[in-house]
Amino acid sequence: MHVYDALIVGAGPAGSLAAYLLGKNRDVAISEEHQTAGFPVQCAGLISDMCFNRYRRYCKIEKALENRIEGAFFFSPSGNYIEAKGEAYVIERKILDKLLFEKASEVADVFVKTKVKFEESKAVLGCREIRSKSVIGADGVNSTVARCFGFERPKLFTAVQAEVRFDAIDENFVELYFGKKWSGSFFAYAIPIGDTARVGVISREGAMEYLKNLIERHPSVSKRIRGGVIELNVGAIPDRLVDFAKDNVALIGDSAGMVKPYTGGGLYYLLLAAEKLAENFPDFKGYKRAYLKELGREYEFGYKIRRLYSLDDRKMEKLFEIMKGFDFPGVHMDRPSTLQLPKSAFKIAFRLIKNPELAFSILKLLI
Ligand SMILES: Cc1cc2nc3c(=O)[nH]c(=O)nc-3n(C[C@H](O)[C@H](O)[C@H](O)COP(=O)(O)OP(=O)(O)OC[C@H]3O[C@@H](n4cnc5c(N)ncnc54)[C@H](O)[C@@H]3O)c2cc1C
C-alpha cells in the first residue's frame, strides 16, 4: 500500500499552502471535505501590504484584489474617530483559496468532497484508508485532527459579518468600532469595497445581536447603511495559540489558533507557519520552535493589546480622547512589537498622567 510522507487535512489557505510548499519535495496528499476550496467564505479579506506581497511569491493574489486600503478610522464608543495611516489590501477569499488550491494540486494528490476521519489513528477518506508517515491538521477551528490526536483546543470568538450597501467615510479606509455596547469583548468593523462594505462583529457571545445593534443604532454606521443585507456569514475565531506539534502530527492555521490576537486575522500568521513547516519537515518540534521564534513576541504583544478591549466604555472613550493626534511611528499592523516601546511608552505615560484612574486600569490589564 502506498505510504505518503504527509496527509494534510483541509484545503483552506493553511492546508493548500502547506501542501504546495511541502509537495515540491515530498509525497503529499491533501483532502478537502467540500467540493472545492474557499467555501463557505468566512473572512473579511483584509490583509496588510506585507502579507499581500508575501502571498505573491506563491500565487497570483492580484487576481483576488478587491480594494486598496490606505488607513483606518478607529471609532470610540460614542462614535468619535481618530485616523491612522497604513497600507493594506482587501481580497476575495473565494478566489485566493482557489488559487492556492490550484498550486497545491500541481504537486500533491488531491481528494475533494472527502471528509477525513480517524479510526485508531488510521486516516479514513470515504471508503478508502490512506497511509502516511505524518498528519497535518489544517482543518480549521473545529479540527478533527486536533480532537483525534489529543491536542488542547482554544476557546472561540464568534464572528458575524454582513455585506451591505455602505457610504464609507473614505472608500480606502477601514473602520473599526470599539466599545462594549458594539461588540462586548472585541470590536466591530466595516471593510469598504466600492459602494458596499463587509460590516462585522467579533465577540465572545451574542455576536448576531451586537451586529443588529451596530447596524440599527451606531451613531455613525446606522446612518450610512443603505438597504438590507446582501450576504451574511457566520464563523468562529480561535482566541489563542495552542500547542501545535507532536512527533508525527502537527496543526497549522485556525486549528492551532494561529490568528493575530488583537484582530482575529489569520492569513499572515498561517502563511509564515506554512513556510516554517516546509523548512523543518518532518521535524515538527523544529517547526514549532521556528514559528515561535518568528512570531512568539508578536503573540505576547498581541494578547496585551487585546486586554485593552475589556476597558469599560467610559474609560475607552477617555483613552480615545488621550490618543487623539498620537501617531505610532513605524508600527506595522501585523507586527505590533515594531512599536518603539521606550519612546512611545514615555509619550503615552505623559498623556495618561492627568488621568490616574485610566492609567491604573490600563496598568492592571497589561501587567
Ligand atoms: C467573519 C470572519 C472574518 C475574518 N476576516 C479576516 C480578515 O479580514 N483577514 C484575515 O487575515 N483573517 C480573517 N479571518 C480569519 C481567517 O478567515 C482564518 O484565519 C483562515 O480562514 C484560516 O485558514 P485555515 O486554512 O486555517 O482554516 P479554514 O479556512 O477554516 O479551512 C479549513 C478547511 O478544512 C476543511 N475541513 C475541515 N474538516 C475537515 C475534514 N475532517 N476533512 C477534510 N476537510 C476538512 C474545511 O472544509 C475548510 O476548507 C476572518 C475570520 C472570520 C470568521
Side-chain angles (χ1 to χ4, degrees):
M1 191 182 191
H2 185 81
V3 181
Y4 287 99
D5 289 325
L7 167 64
I8 299 177
V9 183
S16 289
L17 198 52
Y20 175 56
L21 296 179
L22 275 182
K24 287 176 185 178
N25 304 309
R26 305 281 179 167
D27 189 9
V28 172
I30 179 167
S31 170
E32 167 55 47
E33 67 177 319
H34 293 108
Q35 176 69 53
T36 165
F39 177 84
V41 172
Q42 288 166 345
C43 191
L46 181 70
I47 55 175
S48 71
D49 53 344
M50 189 155 72
C51 178
F52 185 85
N53 289 326
R54 195 105 172 190
Y55 270 97
R56 249 194 185 144
R57 295 180 185 180
Y58 307 118
C59 67
K60 294 194 167 125
I61 191 172
E62 51 283 356
K63 285 188 177 173
L65 182 62
E66 294 185 302
N67 195 11
R68 284 170 212 276
I69 298 299
E70 292 163 11
F73 297 123
F74 292 80
F75 280 74
S76 74
S78 73
N80 295 315
Y81 62 87
I82 50 183
E83 179 185 323
K85 289 258 159 56
E87 237 184 278
Y89 294 87
V90 185
I91 50 117
E92 171 55 77
R93 268 292 298 276
K94 282 178 210 143
I95 299 177
L96 176 66
D97 286 25
K98 280 218 175 74
L99 291 169
L100 293 173
F101 189 54
E102 277 164 22
K103 298 305 284 183
S105 314
E106 288 171 12
V107 294
D109 283 351
V110 167
F111 299 88
V112 289
K113 239 178 158 183
T114 314
K115 188 176 169 96
V116 178
K117 292 183 193 140
F118 291 91
E119 288 168 8
E120 290 162 8
S121 301
K122 285 188 196 135
V124 180
L125 280 70
C127 57
R128 48 177 117 64
E129 187 190 314
I130 288 249
R131 295 255 172 104
S132 67
K133 293 178 196 155
S134 63
V135 175
I136 296 166
D139 45 350
V141 285
N142 297 312
S143 171
T144 303
V145 174
R147 246 184 310 110
C148 291
F149 290 91
F151 284 88
E152 188 193 352
R153 305 309 304 130
K155 289 196 183 122
L156 301 177
F157 290 103
T158 305
V160 183
Q161 179 178 286
E163 192 150 340
V164 290
R165 300 226 173 278
F166 188 66
D167 296 333
I169 296 172
D170 182 320
E171 263 182 35
N172 302 109
F173 273 63
V174 297
E175 301 181 15
L176 306 174
Y177 314 106
F178 291 86
K180 292 217 176 285
K181 62 184 154 190
W182 309 121
S183 79
S185 47
F186 212 91
F187 64 69
Y189 57 83
I191 315 283
I193 307 151
D195 65 348
T196 66
R198 294 179 184 136
V199 178
V201 168
I202 305 170
S203 188
R204 281 263 182 230
E205 49 201 24
M208 190 66 92
E209 287 75 35
Y210 281 119
L211 181 62
K212 196 164 174 279
N213 192 42
L214 183 87
I215 288 176
E216 288 174 0
R217 297 203 179 83
H218 189 278
S220 175
V221 179
S222 63
K223 294 193 183 81
R224 294 185 285 127
I225 287 187
R226 309 266 166 256
V229 171
I230 301 165
E231 192 179 312
L232 188 73
N233 299 113
V234 182
I237 289 178
D239 82 335
R240 73 194 161 90
L241 185 68
V242 290
D243 188 11
F244 53 92
K246 294 185 192 262
D247 286 339
N248 59 352
V249 188
L251 304 177
I252 185 167
D254 274 10
S255 63
M258 290 174 175
V259 300
K260 282 182 278 176
Y262 50 98
T263 66
L267 289 171
Y268 182 57
Y269 283 13
L270 70 81
L271 176 146
L272 294 183
E275 290 177 349
K276 299 295 172 206
L277 179 65
E279 282 161 24
N280 288 279
F281 188 86
D283 175 7
F284 287 158
K285 297 276 161 69
Y287 152 54
K288 181 177 155 184
R289 273 196 304 278
Y291 184 71
L292 292 179
K293 191 166 173 217
E294 177 85 36
L295 284 177
R297 219 168 118 70
E298 307 305 337
Y299 279 100
E300 253 176 58
F301 247 77
Y303 292 125
K304 286 197 170 144
I305 295 173
R306 194 172 75 195
R307 283 192 223 147
L308 295 178
Y309 300 170
S310 62
L311 283 173
D312 66 39
D313 283 2
R314 188 177 59 81
K315 287 183 184 145
M316 186 64 94
E317 196 67 42
K318 196 90 221 157
L319 183 61
F320 267 79
E321 272 170 36
I322 287 172
M323 298 312 285
K324 209 164 192 160
F326 188 88
D327 80 284
F328 293 94
V331 186
H332 193 271
M333 69 186 255
D334 287 337
R335 298 246 176 206
S337 76
T338 49
L339 177 72
Q340 295 161 6
L341 201 52
K343 207 167 143 199
S344 302
F346 180 75
K347 279 199 204 162
I348 295 169
F350 186 72
R351 288 178 180 220
L352 280 171
I353 240 159
K354 292 182 200 135
N355 294 276
E357 192 201 358
L358 177 62
F360 181 67
S361 301
I362 290 177
L363 270 179
K364 231 169 79 180
L365 288 171
L366 296 184
I367 294 169

